Structure formats: structure tokens, C-alpha cells
Amino acid sequence: RGCARYQGDPPESSVQPGSPRHGQSQQRNVASSGAIKKHQKSLSAWFSNQPNEERQFGPSFSLDAVHVDPVIRESSLEEILKPSPDLTIQNQLQQPHRKVISLHNLFDVDACGRQVKNVVLYGTVGTGKSTLIKKMVVDWCHGRLPHFELVIPFSCEDLSHSHAHVSLRRLITKKYQHLRDVVPVLEASNLRVLFILNGLERLNLDFRLAGTELCCDPNEPVPPSAIVVNLLRKYLLPEASIIVTTRPSAARRIPGKYVGRYAEICGFSDTNLQKLYFQMRLSQPGCSGEETQDRSSAEQENLVEMLSRNLERHNQITAACFLPSYCWLVCTTLDFLYFTRMVPPSQTLTGIYTSFLRLNFSGEVLDSSDPTHISMMKYVAKTVGKLAYEGVMSRKTCFSEEDLRQCFEIEMKTESELNLLEVFRSDVFRFFLSPCVQPGKEHTFVFTIPAMQEYLAALYVVLGEKKTLAQRVGKELSEVIGKVSEDVAVVLNIISKVLPLRFLPVLFNLLKIFPRYFSRVSGKDRDAIAHTMAEELFKEEDYYNDDVLDQINSSILGVEGPMRHPDEAPDDEVFELFPIFMGGILSRRNRAILEQLGCSIKNLAAFEIAKAMKKTVIRKGRKGLPPSELMDYLFFLHEFQNERFTAEAIRSLRAVNLSSVKMTPLKCSVLASVMSTTCHEVEELNLTSCNLDSSSLRTLFPVLLRCKALHLQLNSLGSDACKEIRDLLLHDKCVVSSLRLANNPVGERGAGYLAEALAGNRSLRQLSLLHTALGDAGAAAIAQHLAQNQHLQELNLGYNSLTDTAALRVVEVAKRHETLDKVHLYFNDISEDGKRALDSLRMDRDGVRALVFLTAGTDVSDYWSHILNVVQRNLPFWDRERVRQHLALLLQDLESSRSQTANPWRKAKFLRVESEVKKMLGKLQDGSL
């Protein structure tokens, strides 16, 4: 009688403290505790493991260190079932009556005081459900979730692929071997257990008794879906807590009586959460590249500051970053734009967007209950891709409800297709389209990230979805005929033996004609894709826009300056990423990822498109392109990731003009990578005013070696950069014959490095150091090493504050030089005596000509127009007052020389040059020059 107990009491209550069973119970508890600790260690290692897309942020990045919890609001089944009249993200933000609840309080008692056991946590694609669950598991492993003693996570995707019957006990030990000593006492012990079922939309659950039988025995083998149903029914392990994550469309599959609390993940509905995420993510030490820590941290802080200001303006990016997934995409794109320094770059922009879609869709089907099992990404490519493509073709980014209705073809849908569309609107629509925030366009939709429109349009075209009705019918008919042709052949052979009818072989051959004919027609489709790519890549109306990388940077960080007035006409929409994404999608790596998402692009199709592109893209690329358009072309070749195609395209480029393109580390890496596919010599590389520095020159070093004419003017290249140039010129494979370094702060120290280069270089023929702050000391260093050079023909030292001593010393060395015949010394501090000494030089006698003034004795210098052209080209970068003084001196010298000659022809020449100088002085004073 002393052993009698109630059925609800725990079994251990009957065990006496001194009995052997009590000792066995204590040993079991110790063993369970050790097993759970091993389980925690194993889970922590597994859930802390980051995918490849995250490893670019460096070893310091981890989920435990960088995480911002999204807003979670308490919801109800009525909220889920209620139709939404306006499919906008902002509607979710304007719900103050809904209670905000934290992740750790999901199992608190409800409004009626009842303990919550089952929680359904739902959210649309991209709101961060899986990441939140990962963080929850990691928190439990590190002791930050003390409410539960044991956490057992299951992936519903994994369970959906298992069709064999299995018991709950076997299922747990199969996934988590460390729990084999815990599972036998799971039901009998008082362990506070939490089951996590992630991605319930992957399972087809049937809560009817006729569909899923009751099961309360953890040792009884049943289908995995039956285990899930009975856990939620509380028929199996009734004391266990369960949290389910799912998309909104699947949340209604669980009857409301089995759910204690509904909670919706609402993303980063507060811009402060967005700022915190960006600050934590972009401030990680691992994403700084190879630069020094000081410069990297300053650049990171600047990025965060610019991004914060753009968020405060409530631009479209604020609506996009409501979804944590897009915050990830923004950070990854900025990391790619600012911290890529490898050659070749470790990734492509197309690869970032493709990986982004894999992280969010990972091969999911749109609706697991639909018999077609169409992948979510395939459905998006067919529908949203069509909308994106039509927008690109009509240069439109805002879409009305009517545009959406026509695109999704609601009137033409069957019941099954309409169900798919309803699931798409509920779960995926907000991921790609959001309400426009521009005044006057509140009732239209735009793509959440502008570049996503161009990516989906490119995917729509490359997948071959852009077909007419006749083409689609022809393809289906061709496939049907192709499949049955073998069976028909067998039947016809049998009949022909029994009934020797002559028309049977003819009929068989006719059946074969159609698939062959259609294959030729489909080949024309590949030509059309290549033609579309070339037409969009080389549109003349886009020739003078910023390059695409600068456009992406502006779309994320905004454009500094006054905001546009609402009544001001907007700029034309630009879609220059569209053809670049088309090329990027055809790369082998991106095709492999898209294959996982259910979007198959065959190797043969990619090969035929690349073959057709040689006739169109390479031919058009040979034409002279503006600098920004040429940068886009080089970036296209990088994204295409086809080395043979790139090599053929680059061989046709003998001159590369990228002047005024801001050459970021990424662009330098792209240029170096693309040019490295060949080893041909480049006639000219123009990098004038490209924001280069010493690290840029190091990246471009292999390219610079092969350039005959190298333009590096206006780049703020100091002594460190000159050290790189010295190494370049002293390299045994250097072919640089013309080097222009005008308007760079070379200085005395930099002149020393260049002088060393002159002494050992054999290829250089022309060197321009115009306006490089050499001074007398720098000129002296040049003169000291100039005698050891045997190939230089022209040296420009103009506008360097040289005095008579330095100028004459350079000229004296030049007189003894074998090949140097021209020295530019204009706009220096040379006196009248120095001028007379330099004027006395004669080419036939001294072997060198010094260009100092516009006169040569009593005649006009043959180089007067050249000197004035140099002044006019460089005036925006020179001190205007000093230029005005020099021009006044030149005018006095012209007037003095004109008065000394009696030759009327010479006087006329003097008057002509004087008029040009006076005209320049007048414009300089008016500010019109």
C-alpha cells in the first residue's frame, strides 16, 4: 500500500532514498546531464557553422557575435486568415494594437493565464525565421535559455524526404546520437523539453483521425508526419513544448485548438534596428581586406554613416531593409564594392544575388500540397521575371495593380494555378515588391532592391521564358513527339513486316522532321538572347551614365546633395545591369546554384549562347566606347566568367581609355583580372583622374607592364606611388615607352624614385612630370641619374618652380644625352638671364631644344600652340593667379620680341600669338575659362 501513487505522479516518487533504485536513478540523471552537455556542444558547433556566403566577412564574424533580433508581434489565427486588401509592407508596420513579444517570452502564459505549450512562429520569406531559430539554439547551448533543459531541433525539409516509418525515439537518436541515454527516460522524467520544427510548410500534415492515427508511444514506428501531428496534438509527450516556424500560407494547416500562441516575425520595422544591424555587420574586423586597420576602420565608419543618413531620408532602401535578408544583401554588396582587393575577385555581383536567392529559397517548392511541386524560384522567374522584363523593356520601375494583374494573368488561371498564386501573394510577394515611397506614387509597387528587377529580367530571358504562344506550343509538341518517336518506330517496323506498306517509312520520317526543325528554331532563340544582350550592353543613350558599380553604390548609400523637388522631372531610368546579369547567370557556378533552385540552364544552351555572343558582343565591343561604358564592358566580361571568350574580347582592345572613372579597389581588381586572360601588348592605357593610389598600382602592376603609353595624370600619386612606378620601370618585362604623371604630388622624394627608374629603364621614350612639385632638389635628382639613361627622347619639367640653376643643370645633362632632344621648362621661375642662356641653344649644335617661352629669339617658337594648349587643358587644376602672372610675362616677352624684329611676316605671327594670350587672359579674369 505504501507504494501506491496517482497515475499523474512521476515514477521516481515511489523510490525510497536509500533503495538501489534511487541510486540507479541518480546515476541515470548524471549520465543524462553529461549527454545533454555533449548534445549542447554538438548543436553549438553545427548551428554556429556559417554558409560560404557568410565566410567572406572573416573569421571574426559569427552568429553569436553579430545578430539583431527582429520585431516579433503576437498574432492570432484570425489575423492569418483575414484577407489583406493592400499587399504592402507598410500595412504591417502600422499595427500598434499588436503586442510586441521577445523570443524568450514566447512560452509565457497567455491572456487567460494558461501555460503555452505550442507556438507557431510565422513570417514571409526573408523575415529571418531560420536565423532566429539558429540564434535560439545557440543561446540555449550557451546557457542563455534556462527555461528549457533540453532542446531538440528538427528540419521539416529533412523529415519530408523520409518516407519510412520510424519511432520518435529512433528519430531522435538517429539525428542526435548523444541523446541515446536520455531518450529512454524522456517521457518518465521531468525534463523541460523543447522541440523545434523549422519550416513546417515542407510537410503535408493531416490532423484528421482518418488521416493520421493517434499515437502516444515514442517507440512505435509511424510516418514522420504522424510524429509531428501527435506532438502538436499533445498526445505524444504532452508535457513537451513545441515551437513551429512556417510561412503564412502553411500556418493555417494546424488547427487553432492545438496552438497556444501565434507570433509573426515582422522584420526590422524600426530603422534603429536596421542601423544597429549595419553597424554591427560592417564594423567587423574581418571585412577590411588587406589595408591597414586605421584606414579600414575609418572607411567602415564612413560607410555606416552614409548608410544611416540614407535610411533617415526614408528612401526606398528603408522599405527594403524592413526584411533582414535585404539588410544582408546590402552589407554583402557594400563589402564587395569596397573591400574586394583579390585578383581575380573572389566573387561576382551576379553570384551575390544568386547566393542571396539560394539562402532565402534553397530549392523550396511553392506549395508542397500542389501536385506540380513547382519550385518557388521557378515560379518567381516565370511570373515576377516577366513583370521585371517588361519593365526593363519599357524603362519602367513603378508598377500599378493593373500591371500586376496582367503579368500574373489572373483571368487565365485554373483552380490549381490560382491556389499557387494565392500562396505566392501570401508568402513571397512582399519579398520582391514593396510600395513606392515617392510622393504621388504611393499606390504603385517597385522592386524591393532596384537591381533585383534587372536580375529577374535577365533570368527570365536566359531561362527561355520569353516565348510566343506558338513557340511554347511548338516546344511542348516537339517534346511529346520526341518521347514517343522510339515507340512509334518499333510499332511501324512490326507493321511493315506484316503489311508491307510503302508509306509507313515515309510517315516515320515525317515524325522525325518536326523535332529536328524545332531544334533549329530553338537555336535561333539563343541567337536572339545574344542579340538582346549586345543591344542592351551597348545602348548609345546610356553611354555617358556612371558605370554600373557607381550606380549600385549610389542606390545603396544615396547621392549627397540637395533632395530633388517633387515637381521636378525625374531622370530616365537606366537598366545597364540587365545585360551584365544575363552574362553572369550563364557562368558555370551560377548555373549550378540555379539548378538547385529549380531553374535549369543546360550546358549546351549556355555554349550556344556564348557562341552567338561572339558575333554580336565582341564585334560591338571593338568600337570605341566612352570610359564608363568600357568599364561596364570589362565588368560584364568579369561577370561572364568565361576565360576563352574574355581573352578573345580583350585581344581586340588595343587602347583602353578609363579616364575619369573612379577606380575603386574592386574596379582595379576587375581590370587586372580581365586583362590577365591575354598577354598581348596594349598600345595605350588612359587612367587620368581615376583616384589611383599606391595600392591601385600594385593591383594593376601586371597590366601596366604591358602598356606602351601610360597616362596617370591627376591621381594624387605621391612618393609611395612613385616607388611602385620605379619597380614597374625597372622590371625586365616593362614595355612602357610614354609615361605621363602630370598634376601629381610627386615631390622631391618621389623624384628620387623616378630618377632611379630612369637610370635603369630601357623602354621609356617620353616622360611628363608637368606640375609635380619637384622643385630644384627634385630636378637635381633627375639630372643626376639622367646621364645613365640612353633611350629617353622627351622630358617635361614644366610648372615645377625650377630656378635658373636647376633648369640649366638639366639642360647641360641633356646636351650630352644621346637621344634626349626636347626639354619642357615653361611656367618655371626662370629669369631673363636664364631665358637668354636657354634661347642660345641650337638643335643642330647642342642637340637639344628647351621649351621655355613662346618666343625663340626674334621669332615665334614652333611650339607656342602646344604650350598654350597645355595651359588650357590644365587650367582647372592649376593656381589661377600664378597662371595669370605667367601669361602676363609671356605677353610682355612677345611684345618685346616683336619690337626687336623688322620682318613684317614675323610681326604678324607675333600679333597672332599675342591675341591668343590676351584672349586667354580675358577669359581667365572673367572666370569663363
Side-chain angles (χ1 to χ4, degrees):
R1 288 195 301 270
C3 293
R5 60 181 176 85
Y6 289 106
Q7 183 178 359
D9 291 341
E12 287 80 358
S13 62
S14 62
V15 180
Q16 299 298 322
S19 67
R21 290 183 61 192
H22 177 70
Q24 293 175 3
S25 176
Q26 283 185 330
Q27 292 177 1
R28 189 184 298 117
N29 289 338
V30 171
S32 298
S33 176
I36 290 174
K37 287 183 178 179
K38 290 181 180 179
H39 178 60
Q40 286 179 324
K41 185 177 179 180
S42 175
L43 278 184
S44 177
W46 177 256
F47 279 85
S48 297
N49 186 34
Q50 299 298 322
N52 293 331
E53 291 81 4
E54 297 284 24
R55 293 174 188 169
Q56 63 186 308
F57 289 96
S60 62
F61 172 78
S62 67
L63 182 66
D64 200 31
V66 182
H67 179 77
V68 178
D69 286 332
V71 172
I72 303 175
R73 297 186 186 275
E74 197 161 359
S75 184
S76 64
L77 184 60
E78 290 73 19
E79 286 287 338
I80 299 173
L81 298 176
K82 184 174 66 176
S84 177
D86 191 7
L87 295 174
T88 67
I89 293 177
Q90 292 182 347
N91 271 355
Q92 288 189 333
L93 306 183
Q94 299 168 356
Q95 294 178 354
H97 62 280
R98 293 173 59 187
K99 176 185 174 184
V100 176
I101 187 170
S102 70
L103 183 65
H104 293 178
N105 299 122
L106 287 175
F107 290 93
D108 290 351
V109 294
D110 61 11
C112 300
R114 293 173 299 198
Q115 183 64 45
V116 173
K117 288 293 185 180
N118 291 353
V119 174
V120 172
L121 186 65
Y122 69 94
T124 58
V125 174
T127 49
K129 300 184 293 297
S130 297
T131 304
L132 199 62
I133 291 301
K134 281 186 178 181
K135 183 63 169 56
M136 188 178 189
V137 173
V138 172
D139 281 350
W140 175 76
C141 293
H142 294 170
R144 293 191 290 268
L145 200 64
H147 184 69
F148 299 104
E149 296 174 288
L150 178 61
V151 171
I152 304 176
F154 284 116
S155 166
C156 292
E157 179 186 9
D158 187 22
L159 297 178
S160 68
H161 295 308
S162 177
H163 302 291
H165 287 210
V166 63
S167 67
L168 176 61
R169 177 176 178 177
R170 174 59 183 150
L171 185 64
I172 294 174
T173 55
K174 181 181 177 182
K175 305 297 180 184
Y176 306 106
Q177 293 183 2
H178 298 299
L179 298 180
R180 60 180 176 272
D181 295 330
V182 180
V183 173
V185 298
L186 200 60
E187 189 176 17
S189 66
N190 290 323
L191 275 177
R192 297 188 300 274
V193 182
L194 172 65
F195 284 96
I196 297 177
L197 303 174
N198 187 32
L200 191 74
E201 66 275 357
R202 304 291 187 99
L203 288 174
N204 288 324
L205 302 182
D206 189 351
F207 282 83
R208 298 172 304 160
L209 290 176
T212 304
E213 63 179 350
L214 296 175
C215 175
C216 63
D217 184 3
N219 297 313
E220 181 181 350
V222 294
S225 59
I227 293 177
V228 174
V229 168
N230 283 289
L231 282 172
L232 290 169
R233 284 172 173 168
K234 290 302 168 194
Y235 204 73
L236 186 62
L237 298 183
E239 295 303 318
S241 299
I242 302 173
I243 184 169
V244 172
T245 67
T246 183
R247 302 200 304 258
S249 63
R252 63 193 73 176
R253 295 181 187 174
I254 306 176
K257 62 182 178 180
Y258 298 131
V259 180
R261 173 172 283 126
Y262 289 94
E264 180 181 10
I265 304 180
C266 297
F268 296 153
S269 55
D270 186 355
T271 55
N272 290 324
L273 291 178
Q274 299 173 7
K275 291 180 184 178
L276 179 61
Y277 180 93
F278 291 133
Q279 186 173 5
M280 294 177 67
R281 178 73 72 137
L282 293 174
S283 299
Q284 289 297 302
C287 62
S288 59
E290 301 171 358
E291 291 295 307
T292 62
Q293 187 64 33
D294 292 340
R295 174 172 176 180
S296 297
S297 61
E299 195 167 11
Q300 289 167 354
E301 290 174 5
N302 184 47
L303 280 179
V304 173
E305 178 64 26
M306 293 179 68
L307 196 52
S308 297
R309 286 203 299 267
N310 201 23
L311 290 172
E312 289 169 359
R313 298 189 190 106
H314 300 287
N315 287 338
Q316 199 64 50
I317 191 174
T318 310
C321 292
F322 162 77
L323 294 172
S325 293
Y326 277 100
C327 292
W328 180 91
L329 180 61
V330 167
C331 288
T332 308
T333 305
L334 287 176
D335 183 81
F336 175 66
L337 292 176
Y338 282 88
F339 302 114
T340 299
R341 289 174 173 83
M342 294 175 60
V343 179
S346 58
Q347 57 186 335
T348 64
L349 185 67
T350 315
I352 289 175
Y353 275 75
T354 308
S355 299
F356 168 69
L357 294 174
R358 178 174 64 178
L359 284 174
N360 286 279
F361 295 97
S362 62
E364 288 188 53
V365 297
L366 184 60
D367 185 3
S368 59
S369 62
D370 186 79
T372 61
H373 291 288
I374 184 172
S375 77
M376 194 180 297
M377 198 60 232
K378 181 70 172 179
Y379 188 87
V380 168
K382 292 168 68 72
T383 55
V384 187
K386 178 183 178 183
L387 179 73
Y389 174 75
E390 291 177 354
V392 169
M393 290 296 101
S394 58
R395 303 181 81 82
K396 182 171 66 173
T397 58
C398 294
F399 303 93
S400 64
E401 285 282 1
E402 180 63 21
D403 294 329
L404 299 181
R405 189 183 63 81
Q406 291 180 0
C407 174
F408 295 116
E409 301 171 344
I410 293 179
E411 295 88 349
M412 300 173 62
K413 296 295 176 179
T414 63
E415 182 68 23
S416 174
E417 290 171 329
L418 282 174
N419 290 337
L420 286 176
L421 180 59
E422 184 61 30
V423 172
F424 169 78
R425 283 182 171 271
S426 171
D427 298 349
V428 192
F429 180 87
R430 298 179 181 93
F431 184 82
F432 291 104
L433 292 161
S434 60
C436 184
V437 300
Q438 295 180 18
K441 296 184 178 180
E442 292 84 358
H443 299 291
T444 61
F445 295 91
V446 297
F447 278 83
T448 310
I449 290 286
M452 186 58 74
Q453 177 180 353
E454 299 177 74
Y455 181 92
L456 292 178
L459 184 62
Y460 177 76
V461 174
V462 174
L463 286 176
E465 296 295 336
K466 187 176 73 69
K467 291 185 176 73
T468 62
L469 181 61
Q471 288 174 323
R472 292 180 181 178
V473 172
K475 181 181 179 182
E476 294 175 1
L477 186 58
S478 174
E479 290 176 352
V480 170
I481 293 176
K483 288 177 182 177
V484 303
S485 60
E486 294 182 2
D487 298 332
V488 172
V490 174
V491 174
L492 290 178
N493 285 332
I494 295 173
I495 294 175
S496 63
K497 291 178 181 179
V498 179
L499 300 173
L501 302 177
R502 296 181 179 179
F503 71 89
L504 290 178
V506 177
L507 178 62
F508 176 61
N509 290 328
L510 286 175
L511 287 173
K512 285 186 173 181
I513 287 176
F514 188 80
R516 292 174 184 173
Y517 173 76
F518 186 79
S519 65
R520 294 181 182 177
V521 174
S522 63
K524 297 294 183 182
D525 292 342
R526 277 88 187 245
D527 290 343
I529 292 174
H531 180 73
T532 300
M533 201 179 303
E535 288 296 321
E536 294 296 323
L537 188 61
F538 301 109
K539 271 192 172 181
E540 292 189 7
E541 55 263 39
D542 297 335
Y543 267 14
Y544 298 99
N545 299 324
D546 292 337
D547 62 79
V548 291
L549 293 175
D550 284 348
Q551 291 176 27
I552 295 172
N553 185 67
S554 299
S555 70
I556 296 175
L557 299 180
V559 179
E560 297 294 328
M563 297 184 65
R564 184 190 299 275
H565 191 274
D567 296 334
E568 186 179 348
D571 297 331
D572 291 336
E573 299 294 347
V574 178
F575 297 98
E576 294 182 87
L577 266 175
F578 168 56
I580 294 175
F581 277 144
M582 287 178 68
I585 288 172
L586 288 171
S587 70
R588 185 182 298 274
R589 180 177 179 275
N590 287 317
R591 283 190 286 118
I593 296 176
L594 288 169
E595 180 76 30
Q596 299 171 18
L597 297 176
C599 299
S600 178
I601 303 171
K602 302 299 182 183
N603 288 332
L604 180 60
F607 173 77
E608 290 179 348
I609 293 172
K611 185 178 179 182
M613 284 167 57
K614 291 183 180 181
K615 307 173 186 177
T616 55
V617 175
I618 294 180
R619 178 170 51 82
K620 292 195 174 188
R622 292 193 182 103
K623 300 177 181 179
L625 298 173
S628 61
E629 196 70 13
L630 179 58
M631 187 68 240
D632 290 346
Y633 182 44
L634 297 174
F635 188 60
F636 165 81
L637 296 175
H638 163 68
E639 293 286 311
F640 190 36
Q641 295 285 292
N642 186 322
E643 190 169 337
R644 291 179 61 185
F645 181 91
T646 301
E648 188 170 342
I650 291 298
R651 285 193 199 98
S652 63
L653 296 178
R654 291 295 174 179
V656 179
N657 180 12
L658 295 173
S659 60
S660 301
V661 173
K662 185 180 180 182
M663 294 299 291
T664 61
L666 171 61
K667 294 177 190 176
C668 291
S669 299
V670 168
L671 176 59
S673 173
V674 169
M675 297 296 290
S676 67
T677 55
T678 69
C679 55
H680 77 287
E681 292 183 359
V682 181
E683 294 295 332
E684 180 181 4
L685 176 60
N686 191 343
L687 295 174
T688 301
S689 188
C690 288
N691 292 82
L692 299 179
D693 55 16
S694 56
S695 64
S696 305
L697 297 181
R698 279 194 296 272
T699 303
L700 294 172
F701 193 91
V703 180
L704 303 181
L705 281 175
R706 297 156 39 200
C707 299
K708 293 183 178 180
L710 188 56
H711 301 266
L712 299 176
Q713 305 97 300
L714 295 164
N715 277 298
S716 301
L717 299 177
S719 57
D720 291 341
C722 290
K723 196 173 182 180
E724 300 295 330
I725 295 173
R726 177 199 64 183
D727 297 340
L728 171 72
L729 294 175
L730 291 177
H731 198 280
D732 56 353
K733 293 184 179 179
C734 177
V735 299
V736 177
S737 60
S738 176
L739 175 61
R740 299 183 181 275
L741 288 169
N743 299 306
N744 283 298
V746 171
E748 178 184 345
R749 188 179 174 190
Y753 292 131
L754 295 177
E756 294 176 26
L758 279 176
N761 178 268
R762 293 186 175 185
S763 63
L764 199 61
R765 300 294 183 269
Q766 297 175 330
L767 175 62
S768 174
L769 297 174
L770 175 70
H771 191 223
T772 51
L774 298 180
D776 284 354
I782 296 288
Q784 181 181 354
H785 292 79
L786 190 58
Q788 302 174 44
N789 181 282
Q790 299 177 359
H791 305 280
L792 193 66
Q793 298 175 358
E794 184 176 353
L795 177 63
N796 191 335
L797 300 178
Y799 203 153
N800 274 298
S801 303
L802 304 187
T803 60
D804 295 357
T805 305
L808 290 171
R809 184 176 179 183
V810 171
V811 171
E812 285 299 321
V813 176
K815 287 167 64 176
R816 298 189 296 271
H817 199 281
E818 293 183 7
T819 58
L820 185 60
D821 60 5
K822 195 181 300 178
V823 179
H824 300 251
L825 293 170
Y826 38 81
F827 275 60
N828 281 303
D829 301 332
I830 299 175
S831 65
E832 286 294 325
D833 293 338
K835 175 184 177 298
R836 284 193 293 270
L838 294 172
D839 279 346
S840 64
L841 293 173
R842 293 291 180 269
M843 186 65 191
D844 53 354
R845 183 187 66 200
D846 303 306
V848 66
R849 178 180 288 108
L851 309 183
V852 184
F853 286 89
L854 302 180
T855 59
T858 58
D859 199 357
V860 175
S861 170
D862 294 338
Y863 299 93
W864 70 268
S865 61
H866 170 77
I867 295 174
L868 291 182
N869 285 334
V870 169
V871 173
Q872 191 161 1
R873 283 199 309 268
N874 292 278
L875 191 58
F877 322 107
W878 289 358
D879 182 359
R880 287 177 173 262
E881 180 58 28
R882 186 172 179 184
V883 171
R884 190 191 63 77
Q885 294 175 4
H886 275 285
L887 287 176
L889 290 175
L890 291 177
L891 185 59
Q892 291 178 10
D893 182 64
L894 285 169
E895 292 171 348
S896 174
S897 299
R898 176 168 54 85
S899 64
Q900 295 175 15
T901 182
N903 189 323
W905 174 247
R906 289 184 178 178
K907 283 184 179 290
K909 288 171 65 178
F910 275 114
L911 289 172
R912 180 190 172 192
V913 178
E914 286 175 30
S915 67
E916 292 292 333
V917 175
K918 289 178 180 178
K919 188 186 301 182
M920 191 175 292
L921 273 171
K923 290 183 178 180
L924 191 61
Q925 291 173 353
D926 297 341
S928 59
L929 189 61

